[in-house]
Amino acid sequence: MTPVKSPMPLTMASREEQIFPTLTPEQIARVAGHGRTRTVQHGEVLVETGQQHYPFFVVVSAELDVVRASPAGEEVVTTHAHGQFSGELNLLTGRRALANIRASQPGHVIEVGRDDLLALVQTDGELSEIFMRAFILRRVEFIARGFGDVVLLGSSYSSGTLRVKEFLSRNGHPYTYVDLDRDAGVQDLLDRFQVDTADVPVVICRGQLVLRNPTNEEIADCLGFNEPIDETRIRDVVIVGAGPAGLAAAVYAASEGLDALVLESNSPGGQAASSSRIENYLGFPTGISGQELAGRAFTQAEKFGAQLMIAKGAARLACSRRPYAVEIENGARVPARTVIIATGAEYRGLPVDNLSRFHGAGVYYGATPLESQLCRGEEVIVVGGGNSAGQAAVFLAQGALRVILLVRAAGLAETMSRYLVRRIEQNPSIELRTNCEIVAVEGDAHLERVRWRDGSSGRESTEAIRHLFVMTGAVPATKWLDGCVALDDHGFIKTGPDLSHDDLTAARWPLVRPPHLLETSLPGVFAVGDVRGGNLKRVAAAVGEGSIAVAFVHQVLHE
Ligand SMILES: Cc1cc2nc3c(=O)[nH]c(=O)nc-3n(C[C@H](O)[C@H](O)[C@H](O)COP(=O)(O)OP(=O)(O)OC[C@H]3O[C@@H](n4cnc5c(N)ncnc54)[C@H](O)[C@@H]3O)c2cc1C
């Protein structure tokens, strides 16, 4: 079959140059120093879709087509000519290839293995910038055009659908979505294959595997998100949690030459990834979405050589002897000289029966474009009086018919930043209801009605509202530590000067020196970000602490 040519529709020439730059002869020579020059024959396939380990190519005299399978047959996404290079983000992160690379003209190419490419981007600032920008922009184009190796068949009535969408989006993985609520034909097909409601969402992974309501871990395994873990290798530092604090620790640890492994039970970004716009993080005057910030930090950590495991949570810390070991949910065990705990916090629910039944099907804990699409043109309730609730209300008001902001207190002034209070007051689509508490949620497969009580009058009201955003703060994720480190009265981890003499005696602190700043009651185990008692619950604080902890890790490793 003759492949269809479909060059990417790009609006500005400069953007095209950034996506498909042409290297200068000097730059090509520097790449050649890290690889080997080889010939390619016409039609030779250099990389196959789904291949997990594959090299990077710079074209010297050949032409390389990037080809993907499409319903119409094969589609040539682009052609790399002299001085241009192959690859996108998956090459850097060690994930499976999203397209074939095939020589359309014979000639010479420079082939560079992934490890040599990583070494090159760590040492050559100029090439690093060119490659990183091109890889990231190519991924953005892939996502925009729905290119990818995943088809998600889902429904807004299944909570798993939102979970899987979130998991793929937060991992920056392109996918095609088929809405079963709108596409009756697909539903018939599913019926014929005896895929029933409990099996939704269905994920067709790499055109081969059909996964029925898969866990995030199953999707990660199928898409090759994770490299195998070498359980015999003692890591300099194991970082648990890939929110802003853990990602910052990973970037600093790896860039300073430490052997760092990051374990993340869900997707990178933590709570920050559920923020539609972070406006108070240094260097982003117009704000940045939490997901974008997390995506960049993730790529940066991988660029420096940190190993990041997605959908692999820490289940236990073996803390009775050194080296410590972090046990992963699937049973693997990673030995570690030091540990940085960056597990942040989990969203607090509401004391209402049935709430969990509607998670992802009308009840949400974050307000990103994914959720806002689900409630476009409808009425929504946001519960909470903090900044995250305020941000969510302002953001959702852009697309929702009406946003009711419910708070238990008599006003917002005590708990919310002034700029947000002002935006809420000035927004005619937001209605503030003070002294109010949700008392019941009702519905069948999806949330249909919400009942709340007004504390000042004692009156209860029920409204037919299908979307409830719970933004009432979070509790620290420390259960897995099971007594290994001292906690404060609210369950946050105590560190450094906050550890009293009694805490250290109870923990049998064995050293002459006191704990370092951010060090827990266990020598060489640090806590950073929202999980730490006394932390400021800000992205900047989390990032700062993640980087500072690495300085103390060096000191402990030299003790
Ligand atoms: C909606 C919203 C909006 C916000 N907006 C702002 C803002 O505008 N500006 C600002 O400064 N701050 C904002 N914040 C607060 C900010 O996001 C947090 O302070 C910050 O994310 C804390 O970072 P962290 O890395 O400490 O923890 P988290 O972000 O909570 O990340 C912890 C990570 O650890 C993972 N984890 C948990 N347990 C385990 C385990 N056992 N094993 C492996 N991994 C585990 C979690 O999945 C998570 O990814 C907002 C928060 C929310 C919820």
Side-chain angles (χ1 to χ4, degrees):
M1 190 180 318
T2 317
V4 188
K5 276 260 180 192
S6 125
M8 290 190 177
L10 301 163
T11 44
M12 287 170 3
S14 63
R15 187 166 159 83
E16 177 151 13
E17 281 159 20
Q18 289 182 336
I19 303 180
F20 303 115
T22 302
L23 302 180
T24 63
E26 294 74 34
Q27 289 165 340
I28 295 175
R30 296 215 297 278
V31 178
H34 287 257
R36 65 178 182 114
T37 304
R38 53 165 287 202
T39 53
V40 291
Q41 307 302 326
H42 176 259
E44 185 179 339
V45 177
L46 303 178
V47 178
E48 283 198 68
T49 306
Q51 195 174 325
Q52 179 106 46
H53 299 284
Y54 50 96
F56 166 77
F57 296 98
V58 175
V59 178
V60 180
S61 59
E63 276 191 9
L64 303 182
D65 279 351
V66 178
V67 185
R68 69 183 283 270
S70 80
E74 280 191 339
E75 186 180 353
V76 176
V77 179
T78 190
T79 300
H80 299 307
H82 169 72
Q84 295 185 314
F85 52 87
S86 66
E88 62 90 59
L89 270 189
N90 275 12
L91 172 64
L92 209 63
T93 53
R95 295 181 183 174
R96 294 181 194 279
L98 294 175
N100 284 0
I101 297 179
R102 193 170 59 204
S104 50
Q105 291 294 331
H108 288 91
V109 297
I110 303 165
E111 178 178 320
V112 183
R114 178 175 170 257
D115 289 344
D116 293 321
L117 176 67
L118 282 175
L120 175 63
V121 295
Q122 283 162 29
T123 50
D124 192 317
E126 189 193 24
L127 287 176
S128 168
E129 193 186 319
I130 296 170
F131 296 161
M132 291 300 275
R133 192 172 45 219
F135 289 172
I136 291 170
L137 291 176
R138 287 174 190 182
R139 172 57 61 91
V140 170
E141 288 294 331
F142 270 28
I143 291 175
R145 300 185 65 190
F147 284 6
D149 47 1
V150 174
V151 179
L152 169 64
L153 306 154
S155 152
S156 62
Y157 292 94
S158 98
S159 59
T161 299
L162 184 63
R163 170 181 58 79
V164 174
K165 274 185 175 182
E166 257 172 15
F167 184 70
L168 292 168
S169 307
R170 288 188 185 182
N171 281 290
H173 198 90
Y175 65 93
T176 306
Y177 181 61
V178 179
D179 189 343
L180 296 176
D181 306 331
R182 294 191 185 164
D183 199 328
V186 180
Q187 183 61 61
D188 287 350
L189 185 82
L190 291 184
D191 292 344
R192 231 168 291 149
F193 282 99
Q194 290 170 338
V195 173
D196 62 32
T197 325
D199 295 328
V200 173
V202 174
V203 174
I204 302 172
C205 181
R206 297 190 285 116
Q208 295 167 359
L209 280 178
V210 178
L211 305 173
R212 296 168 181 221
N213 196 6
T215 61
N216 292 348
E217 189 178 2
E218 284 170 324
I219 299 172
D221 287 346
C222 176
L223 295 176
F225 279 4
N226 297 318
E227 296 271 326
I229 294 184
D230 178 356
E231 294 184 48
T232 59
R233 186 158 127 202
I234 306 176
R235 306 291 179 143
D236 292 330
V237 58
V238 171
I239 299 160
V240 187
L247 288 171
V251 166
Y252 282 86
S255 67
E256 291 169 18
L258 299 180
D259 180 6
L261 176 94
V262 184
L263 297 171
E264 167 53 55
S265 55
N266 195 356
S267 322
Q271 296 169 72
S274 61
S275 174
S276 46
R277 189 144 291 268
I278 297 170
E279 293 193 55
N280 57 354
Y281 188 57
L282 187 75
F284 294 92
T286 54
I288 180 166
S289 80
Q291 213 168 305
E292 210 182 329
L293 188 68
R296 291 179 186 203
F298 182 84
T299 309
Q300 202 174 4
E302 294 230 294
K303 172 187 123 170
F304 284 121
Q307 187 180 357
L308 289 103
M309 307 294 294
I310 301 304
K312 300 268 181 228
R316 201 177 86 87
L317 176 64
C319 59
S320 56
R321 70 173 73 93
R322 294 177 83 166
Y324 303 117
V326 181
E327 293 175 8
I328 305 177
E329 278 152 8
N330 66 4
R333 209 167 186 272
V334 196
R337 293 189 180 87
T338 66
V339 176
I340 295 180
I341 302 167
T343 45
E346 284 159 5
Y347 305 110
R348 194 178 278 137
L350 295 171
V352 170
D353 289 344
N354 284 343
L355 193 76
S356 58
R357 230 182 79 200
F358 301 115
H359 283 180
V363 172
Y364 318 99
Y365 293 88
T368 69
L370 276 180
E371 289 84 10
S372 99
Q373 253 174 23
L374 293 173
C375 50
R376 182 157 286 279
E378 296 191 48
E379 298 190 317
V380 309
I381 295 181
V382 175
V383 185
N387 279 354
S388 57
Q391 280 177 9
V394 171
F395 172 66
L396 293 167
Q398 294 167 15
L401 185 64
R402 177 172 68 133
V403 177
I404 300 176
L405 180 59
L406 277 191
V407 293
R408 240 187 355 206
L412 295 174
E414 304 258 300
T415 48
M416 199 178 282
S417 297
R418 272 192 54 193
Y419 83 95
L420 275 173
V421 176
R422 222 173 301 131
R423 280 191 202 167
I424 287 167
E425 286 167 354
Q426 287 167 358
N427 193 323
S429 304
I430 305 178
E431 222 177 280
L432 176 65
R433 305 265 176 100
T434 54
N435 295 308
C436 285
E437 259 180 280
I438 304 274
V439 290
V441 287
E442 296 163 13
D444 195 2
H446 194 281
L447 177 71
E448 301 294 346
R449 285 169 303 280
V450 179
R451 190 157 78 238
W452 67 84
R453 182 187 304 120
D454 184 330
S456 24
S457 64
R459 228 185 31 236
E460 289 194 2
S461 336
T462 303
E463 287 211 28
I465 291 183
R466 301 177 68 250
H467 305 283
L468 173 64
F469 288 81
V470 183
M471 315 295 283
T472 47
V475 283
T478 50
K479 261 193 231 131
W480 65 282
L481 289 163
D482 197 22
C484 280
V485 298
L487 305 179
D488 69 15
D489 294 344
H490 301 286
F492 291 91
I493 301 176
K494 283 181 141 184
T495 55
D498 291 344
L499 286 158
S500 66
H501 180 72
D502 288 352
D503 289 328
L504 294 178
T505 310
R508 300 208 184 110
W509 178 260
L511 306 176
V512 177
R513 67 161 177 84
H516 291 298
L517 193 75
L518 307 177
E519 195 171 22
T520 67
S521 56
L522 200 59
V525 176
F526 297 84
V528 294
D530 277 19
V531 76
R532 194 182 70 79
N535 165 277
L536 281 177
K537 313 286 178 273
R538 292 276 185 278
V539 173
V543 168
E545 290 182 10
S547 62
I548 293 166
V550 172
F552 293 113
V553 163
H554 284 292
Q555 292 191 25
V556 170
L557 292 176
H558 287 106
E559 265 174 1

